[in-house]
Amino acid sequence: MIKINENFKKMKPNYLFSNIAKKVAKYQEENPDKKIIKMGIGDVTRPLPKVCTQAMKKAADELENAETFRGYGPEQGYDFLREKILENEYKDLGIDKDEIFISDGAKCDCGNIVDIFAKNNKIAITDPVYPVYLDTNIMAGRTGICKDNGMYENVIYIPMTEENNFVPLLPKEVPDIIYLCFPNNPTGTVLTKDELKVWVDYARKNKSIILFDAAYCAFIEEENIPKSIYEIEGAKDVAIEFKSYSKTAGFTGVRCAYVVIPKTVKGYDENGNVEDLNSMWNRRVCTKFNGVSYIVQRAAEAIYTKEGMKEVKDNINYYKENAKIILETLKECGIKAYGGKNSPYIWLKVPNSGKSWDFFDTLLEKVNIVGTPGEGFGPSGEGYFRLTAFNTKENTIEAMERLKNFLSK
Ligand code: MLT
């Protein structure tokens, strides 16, 4: 008899964004004439930079010829891309090429990384949080069940709310694995170098590891906000970093990202012996992955050309302009909002102290706008709501006009 992974029973039936997609699809089916503006899941609307699609076409042509055809590539990624990443993202940060692993997405990396850690590690997540960190640990059996307060047993929740200015405080109980995402998903807020250093020092002191999701680092515009955790002294001993091309070059559908695991980051076996996490991850990658396709890696390489970087910058500025429109509208409407400056996400306080799923229903049904209810990101997200700046400018303006009219009634 086939036995299932019982941990799945502890999970909510649907992944947050699938749940929302289902609700929206149902509403649209029942109201086919309504124009719904989607500001829920952080999916981009700007097309790929031209240099990327050109690189893909060229790569496809190469695959057509026996002389230039390529089969299996290196599981860790082609050197041509790893070198470009080093040069452009980690210059002077002391990272080596073989500490970079190319992948098919930061979501997959964040989920897969748990393979190399023991089940009895205690995880800490910020609350609210990108649901992947928690869900993948529930699946792996690293948590207990969900309690009545919406929190899982055996997980350390670190609140990030207005009260602490969205700066996570060190927890009372020491975690083994600490998930940090900055610029933050979902709140859109950031940490300064000093604020992040507190966590790096803490992880060093306690032999913990920080899993640092930097998927939104390209949106940082303010000084003194780290674009990589390795800008912080000591981080190379305790941090693994995830980065992605999804939200910068529009690769949400193309799929390409990378994870950085410095060789200096160590873990410990049951007897306290030191183990090298870079080698363990390499072992895992070689067993479970055959690398990102050659075509996609050539497209990612093209991002680092002069034209590619300009297009990416233009895209980011385009989304930032949308974020500004959203923030201004919310201000006009007297709604408190956070983020949206170094991030594509705007985290707003639900008007009249309302519940986030009620606000979701109201916006969908009365204003035909889709956002993400804060509660979906964790108990401390209740009372908040996330909007993304990833739609087109026209739709963003229209959505904000609709919202303004609705709230003024
Ligand atoms: C989000 O909306 O939070 C993101 O799009 C999710 C993701 O990148 O997987």
Side-chain angles (χ1 to χ4, degrees), residues 17 40-42 107 130 185 216 247 345 386:
F17 293 108
I41 191 165
K107 179 184 188 176
Y130 176 42
N185 181 9
Y216 302 94
K247 314 294 160 85
Y345 295 130
R386 195 191 76 175

Side-chain angles (χ1 to χ4, degrees), residues 122-133:
K122 189 116 192 190
I123 67 157
I125 52 170
T126 55
D127 176 22
V129 77
Y130 176 42
V132 169
Y133 314 147

Side-chain angles (χ1 to χ4, degrees), residues 26-45:
K26 183 168 178 287
Y27 179 81
Q28 184 76 86
E29 204 183 302
E30 288 163 3
N31 301 275
D33 56 321
K34 301 280 188 205
K35 181 190 168 194
I36 298 175
I37 299 180
K38 294 184 181 162
M39 303 169 88
I41 191 165
D43 197 3
V44 291
T45 49

Side-chain angles (χ1 to χ4, degrees), residues 277-334:
L277 297 185
N278 178 290
S279 306
M280 286 179 71
W281 181 249
N282 190 49
R283 183 71 181 81
R284 188 229 174 257
V285 165
C286 293
T287 305
K288 293 197 179 181
F289 193 48
N290 270 327
V292 175
S293 82
Y294 175 67
I295 295 175
V296 166
Q297 290 191 64
R298 280 294 185 201
E301 180 195 26
I303 295 170
Y304 295 109
T305 57
K306 209 166 142 219
E307 306 91 295
M309 298 220 266
K310 184 181 176 307
E311 283 203 53
V312 165
K313 204 156 189 268
D314 290 348
N315 284 350
I316 296 209
N317 287 338
Y318 179 94
Y319 296 132
K320 273 175 180 262
E321 196 53 41
N322 289 346
K324 223 187 251 172
I325 294 167
I326 297 170
L327 282 172
E328 276 163 13
T329 308
L330 294 173
K331 200 169 163 199
E332 259 179 68
C333 298

Side-chain angles (χ1 to χ4, degrees), residues 126-171:
T126 55
D127 176 22
V129 77
Y130 176 42
V132 169
Y133 314 147
L134 175 63
D135 283 4
T136 52
N137 278 288
I138 302 171
M139 286 178 192
R142 215 164 273 120
T143 74
I145 54 164
C146 188
K147 298 179 282 185
D148 290 344
N149 63 4
M151 294 185 180
Y152 278 82
E153 288 172 347
N154 208 33
V155 174
I156 300 170
Y157 286 76
I158 306 167
M160 265 181 51
T161 57
E162 267 184 320
E163 285 69 41
N164 54 25
N165 208 16
F166 301 96
V167 176
L169 298 175
L170 298 176

